[in-house]
């Protein structure tokens, strides 16, 4: 979710839980079983132990398997080694099952649990039409049960510290501090929009990364399609760990940063951490480069420039996206369709999810597929995933790639917020995502709409 904030008051859209629905949704996995997970043998030079964890993709379905992503996270927590380490960075957290698993790991097995929250996840109550309403936030409870709440200004050595929770400073992310102007007098402050956890060892498998599109809230289980990857890889774990430590450092001291962007190749993966500033490196008002017009520093546009629309086999791009307002991305998709690629897009239907200019471009582009999942605003199910799949010629060779993470295709997600984008070069993971797109999303009665 992307909270919009007026001059004095933060305004966040409220999405309630849906009434019971009778729609049937087709759910598939790589293995063809009724569960919502898919996995591929690890791509390592040495054959892993028989009980070692393999890279895995996990998908929830609001009808048939609403808890799949959440339950995968709980399982990882429960299987974390005694006296091990769990680190997380999360936007919103109201899930009792995850809270209970984390508390039990800390209390019963001596696991150090270190969590970074966005400041919007702190309040136990908020005013709704002047009346205090419970938010369900787990921040206070976790702080009490884990034994320490870190405040801004404290010095923390995470490698020697025990369990703790930290909330990023108000009206910014832990790193990102930029305010983005919106329509009228509204502004949007930076947030920590991340949704990842790191595990020192799960069972016999060390260095596991869990990256999701879902916040830890009820609506993200029952109202939206979401996804996650579970990736055991020491290099990837270390890269996420460095970013997590940077979040901790900036979240406890200093004013934050307007520009952070960092990318690293680690085996079959590549990380992209945000915010990313426009090309003249000047976030000040009056900058020579408009942050909404600089396609040269839009990471998704840059990735799409690596695609060649070969005639045989045809290059196919699939995108499942919650929020989409970056016109330069839409322009590039239109150009790739015109060049002979097959471009297939499924977006969310809630109000404000798709910008009017993006909608117009996509509708006029003659895309191979353009669908809208109705969303809770229409009393149905929406898509909250944020992934792009490329099957075809990429950087001159045949590839099957999945790009996933926390980042929507909006300007604040690119320019101001703490975000993660992850490239996964693994044919099995790609196939699981393709099935999620082609069969679960495309087969859902909730996702048969068109952009108006």
């Amino acid at each position: 979710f992307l909270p919009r904030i007026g001059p004095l008051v933060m305004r966040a859209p409220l999405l309630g839980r849906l009434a019971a629905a009778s729609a049937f949704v087709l759910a598939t996995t790589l293995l063809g079983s009724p569960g919502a997970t898919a996995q591929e043998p690890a791509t390592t030079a040495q054959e892993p132990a028989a009980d070692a964890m393999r890279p895995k993709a996990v998908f929830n379905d609001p009808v048939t398997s609403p808890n799949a992503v959440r339950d995968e996270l709980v399982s990882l927590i429960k299987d974390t080694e005694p006296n091990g380490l769990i680190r997380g960075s999360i936007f919103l957290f109201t899930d009792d099952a995850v809270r209970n698993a984390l508390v039990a790991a800390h209390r019963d097995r001596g696991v150090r649990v270190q969590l970074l929250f966005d400041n919007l996840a702190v309040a136990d109550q908020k005013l709704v039409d002047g009346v205090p309403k419970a938010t369900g936030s787990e921040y206070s409870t976790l702080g009490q049960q884990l034994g320490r709440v870190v405040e801004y200004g404290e010095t923390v050595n995470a490698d020697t510290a025990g369990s703790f929770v930290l909330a990023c400073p108000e009206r910014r992310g832990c790193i990102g501090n930029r305010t983005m102007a919106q329509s009228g007098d509204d502004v949007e402050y930076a947030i920590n929009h991340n949704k990842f956890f790191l595990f020192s060892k799960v069972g016999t498998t060390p260095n596991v990364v869990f990256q999701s599109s879902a916040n830890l809230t009820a609506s993200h289980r029952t109202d939206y399609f979401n996804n996650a990857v579970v990736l055991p890889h020491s290099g990837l774990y270390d890269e996420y760990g460095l970013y997590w430590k940077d979040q901790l450092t900036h979240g406890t001291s200093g004013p934050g940063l307007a520009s952070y962007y960092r990318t690293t190749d680690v085996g079959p993966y590549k990380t992209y951490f945000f915010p990313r500033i426009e090309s003249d490196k000047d976030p000040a008002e009056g900058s020579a480069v408009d942050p909404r017009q600089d396609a040269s520093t839009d990471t998704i546009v840059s990735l799409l420039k690596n695609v060649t629309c070969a005639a045989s086999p045809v290059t196919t791009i699939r995108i499942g996206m919650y929020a989409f307002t970056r016109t330069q991305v839409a322009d590039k998709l239109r150009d790739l369709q015109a060049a002979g690629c097959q471009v297939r897009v499924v977006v969310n239907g809630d109000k404000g999810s798709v910008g009017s200019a993006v909608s117009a471009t996509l509708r006029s582009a003659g895309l191979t597929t353009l669908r809208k999942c109705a969303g809770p605003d229409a009393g149905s199910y929406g898509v909250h995933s944020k992934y792009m799949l490329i099957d075809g010629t990429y950087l001159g060779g045949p590839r099957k790639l999945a790009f996933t993470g926390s980042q929507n295709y909006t300007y604040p997600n690119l320019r101001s917020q703490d975000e993660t984008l992850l490239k996964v070069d693994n044919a099995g993971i790609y196939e699981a995502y393709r099935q999620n797109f082609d069969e679960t999303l495309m087969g859902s009665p909730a996702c048969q709409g068109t952009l108006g």
Side-chain angles (χ1 to χ4, degrees), residues 339-357:
C341 283
Q342 291 190 357
V343 180
R344 305 177 183 273
V345 176
V346 174
V347 295
N348 189 57
D350 292 327
K351 183 179 179 181
S353 286
V354 181
S356 58

Side-chain angles (χ1 to χ4, degrees), residues 368-410:
T368 304
T369 302
L370 180 58
R371 295 274 188 88
K372 178 181 70 175
C373 298
D377 282 355
S380 185
Y381 303 105
V383 57
H384 193 263
S385 285
K386 307 129 185 347
Y387 65 71
M388 175 173 70
L389 312 178
I390 296 174
D391 179 10
T393 306
Y394 185 88
L395 290 174
R399 306 287 286 279
K400 292 180 181 291
L401 303 174
F403 295 85
T404 188
S406 65
Q407 190 188 78
N408 295 297
Y409 293 172
T410 74

